[in-house]
Amino acid sequence: MTLSLKLFFALMLIAMLAITTAASLDRGLVAAAGALWPDLWFRATLADAYFAFLTVWIWIAWREPTWPRRLAWLVAVLCLGSIAIALYALALLGRADPEDPVRILLTRRRMRTR
C-alpha cells in the first residue's frame, strides 16, 4: 500500500508542477486573480481549496513535534497548496518502514529512520 501512496503523491506532485508551470507561462497569478475575482464561483472554489488546505495542515500540525515546523508547513501549504501536501506525504512515506501498516502514517508515532 505504501508503494501505491508513493505513486499517487508523486503523480500529484508532477501534475501540479506541470499545471502551475503552464499557468504561470500563460499569465501571472495576480493578473489571473484580478480577472477572475468578480466571479462568485472562483471565490467559492478558492475558499473551498483553502479550507481543505487548512484541514490537511491541522493533521500536519498534529503530527509535527515543534511549532517552528508546524508554522513552516503552514506557510508551505498556504503558498504551495497541493504541491506542499504531496511533498509532505512523500517525505513521510520515505521515512516509513515498509513493514508498518499504513494507519501508522496517520498517527503521531515517529517513523523509524533507516
Side-chain angles (χ1 to χ4, degrees):
M1 182 64 154
T2 57
L3 178 60
S4 298
L5 288 172
K6 286 178 184 177
L7 289 173
F8 170 77
F9 285 110
L11 288 172
M12 181 172 130
L13 179 61
I14 291 165
M16 289 307 303
L17 288 172
I19 195 70
T20 54
T21 300
S24 298
L25 294 173
D26 179 57
R27 63 181 161 166
L29 178 63
V30 175
L36 293 169
W37 188 253
D39 188 329
L40 285 175
W41 276 111
F42 171 75
R43 287 188 259 168
T45 302
L46 191 64
D48 181 54
Y50 274 89
F51 280 123
F53 295 157
L54 287 172
T55 301
V56 172
W57 176 77
I58 289 169
W59 169 70
I60 292 171
W62 177 75
R63 284 193 50 80
E64 289 301 318
T66 65
W67 273 102
R69 289 176 65 138
R70 292 172 184 155
L71 293 175
W73 278 109
L74 175 63
V75 170
V77 168
L78 292 180
C79 292
L80 300 173
S82 296
I83 294 170
I85 293 166
L87 288 171
Y88 186 83
L90 288 169
L92 198 63
L93 289 162
R95 293 190 313 264
D97 185 331
E99 305 287 321
D100 286 341
V102 174
R103 74 175 184 273
I104 288 181
L105 298 175
L106 299 175
T107 66
R108 276 185 165 171
R109 185 180 140 210
R110 291 185 184 232
M111 299 295 172
R112 288 179 271 196
T113 56
R114 295 183 187 169

